Amino acid sequence: MNKQLILNKRPKGMPDSDTWSLQEAPIPEIENGELLIQNHYISLDPAMRGWMNDSKSYIEPVALGDVMRAGTIGKVIKSKNNKFNIGQTVTGWGGVQQYTISNGENLYPVDDSQVPMTKFLGVLGMPGMTAYFGILEVGKIQSGDVVVVSGGAGAVGSVVGQIAKIKGCYVVGIAGGKEKCDYITNQLGFDAAIDYKSQNVFEAIKETCPKGIDVYFDNVGGEILEAALSRLRKKARIVICGAISQYNTIDDMSGPRNYMSLLVNRATMQGMVVMDYAPQYPQAMQEMGGWMMTGQLKSNESIYNGIENFQETFKRLFTGDKLGKLILKVIE
């Protein structure tokens, strides 16, 4: 039997206990060209909240009655597809379920003999790829740039800051709470941290970036985005990756009131979606793997157990009760 999390309704605000239901279904036999994967871990990402909304986006919403979309990693246990062998570790979009049948499309084999499986959902997975292409291709960082990243202790932000340091930038991370701020400065090597829970972010950016900001990588939106806009340097670049502070609001999302700072400073603000860079993932993984081997790139995973605990674990994305990448172990 396969335990699956089914989307029952489109939530308004924070998803509640009626949003999903946990169901069990028999696993059908695979057909020619298909393979059966036993999922070990599920990736929990803020983007999942947007995928539940029935509105125009970069990807179709999850249909009501379907398995909740999510990134996964697991082992091939049956195969009638000549591109995949039994025992291979594969990552893809298997959804919040214990087993996935796939035709191999958008499924990637990975070597977890040297690196734990969970790294391929975090620093070497979608969050890591988002950070890599967002800061390098969209942010176009150069040595000496002043870089500020919100969600600095999160799965994406923590990697953004480290890549910027590797490339010779001065890096300030914005995070919630002393533990997270200490983590990004003492363990990840950020130059400074701003605690948005206890500090005035406008004033703190002015203090930590007295000459202004060259690149701002935004994961949260709202007032923190406004604070960054107020301190731009000429030709600054803003990377719009996410707006987690706005995802569960019942009212309309609040946009920046001071966007004219872009005009005054001849700055640019560009959105990025990691899927656009899929053909370049192998190149990015190779370079990031090298940084990991030399100790320049570190990561942390917050791992919780049990598919039945999905909803409780999912909420941690929005309460901030986690450090680094949030992962759910679903293999029993």
Side-chain angles (χ1 to χ4, degrees):
M1 300 294 287
N2 183 18
K3 291 181 180 178
Q4 304 174 305
L5 197 82
I6 306 299
L7 182 65
N8 289 334
K9 69 174 187 179
R10 304 206 180 279
K12 293 182 179 179
M14 181 71 77
D16 58 25
S17 58
D18 296 327
T19 302
W20 302 281
S21 62
L22 187 62
Q23 300 181 8
E24 288 195 41
I27 304 170
E29 287 298 318
I30 59 173
E31 299 180 356
N32 287 334
E34 293 183 334
L35 59 151
L36 177 64
I37 303 153
Q38 183 176 31
N39 296 319
H40 288 217
Y41 297 97
I42 304 291
S43 176
L44 299 184
D45 301 284
M48 296 168 74
R49 178 61 186 84
W51 299 339
M52 290 184 265
N53 296 333
D54 190 11
S55 57
K56 182 181 179 182
S57 186
Y58 59 89
I59 192 171
E60 289 294 317
V62 180
L64 294 178
D66 278 4
V67 174
M68 182 64 204
R69 180 186 297 135
T72 55
I73 191 166
K75 295 278 189 181
V76 178
I77 58 174
K78 290 184 180 180
S79 180
K80 292 183 179 179
N81 184 313
N82 56 19
K83 294 182 180 178
F84 297 91
N85 301 318
I86 292 174
Q88 267 188 312
T89 302
V90 292
T91 183
W93 296 98
V96 185
Q97 55 184 342
Q98 292 178 313
Y99 297 88
T100 301
I101 290 178
S102 171
N103 63 5
E105 186 177 351
N106 297 320
L107 195 65
Y108 303 94
V110 295
D111 181 4
D112 62 329
S113 61
Q114 303 295 321
V115 178
M117 264 192 192
T118 52
K119 300 293 182 187
F120 292 99
L121 294 181
V123 64
L124 295 178
M126 184 176 73
M129 299 298 104
T130 301
Y132 182 94
F133 293 106
I135 197 63
L136 296 177
E137 298 290 332
V138 182
K140 297 181 172 62
I141 53 172
Q142 300 174 12
S143 181
D145 278 348
V146 175
V147 176
V148 176
V149 54
S150 58
V156 174
S158 61
V159 179
V160 166
Q162 291 180 86
I163 293 175
K165 286 300 299 178
I166 290 169
K167 297 297 183 180
C169 300
Y170 174 85
V171 178
V172 177
I174 303 173
K178 184 178 185 301
E179 179 188 2
K180 291 182 179 181
C181 289
D182 288 346
Y183 169 67
I184 62 177
T185 53
N186 298 338
Q187 295 190 43
L188 303 188
F190 287 31
D191 295 288
I194 296 171
D195 181 0
Y196 73 84
K197 291 185 176 180
S198 66
Q199 293 178 269
N200 180 304
V201 177
F202 284 83
E203 293 300 321
I205 290 178
K206 188 184 298 185
E207 292 173 9
T208 55
C209 309
K211 296 181 180 179
I213 299 170
D214 293 299
V215 178
Y216 172 60
F217 195 105
D218 188 37
N219 289 303
V220 302
E223 293 182 358
I224 292 178
L225 172 57
E226 287 193 348
L229 279 166
S230 72
R231 297 296 300 167
L232 298 184
R233 297 177 76 175
K234 190 176 288 185
K235 303 280 187 180
R237 288 85 68 201
I238 296 179
V239 183
I240 301 295
C241 176
I244 196 169
S245 72
Q246 305 293 304
Y247 289 163
N248 291 306
T249 182
I250 296 175
D251 302 319
D252 292 335
M253 294 180 75
S254 60
R257 293 166 293 185
N258 55 345
Y259 72 92
M260 286 296 285
S261 176
L262 297 170
L263 183 154
V264 173
N265 295 291
R266 293 75 150 177
T268 59
M269 185 159 64
Q270 181 179 339
M272 71 88 57
V273 175
V274 69
M275 299 169 190
D276 296 343
Y277 300 92
Q280 298 165 257
Y281 287 178
Q283 160 212 327
M285 290 178 69
Q286 184 174 8
E287 185 167 20
M288 292 174 74
W291 292 334
M292 291 175 69
M293 294 295 289
T294 59
Q296 294 175 281
L297 181 60
K298 301 174 184 177
S299 65
N300 188 79
E301 294 85 37
S302 295
I303 303 172
Y304 295 86
N305 290 311
I307 193 170
E308 64 278 1
N309 296 318
F310 171 85
Q311 182 185 349
E312 178 186 340
T313 308
F314 181 77
K315 285 183 177 179
R316 293 176 183 272
L317 289 168
F318 304 98
T319 62
D321 187 18
K322 57 96 179 177
L323 188 64
K325 177 72 189 125
L326 187 62
I327 292 172
L328 187 66
K329 184 178 180 181
V330 296
I331 186 172
E332 295 179 349

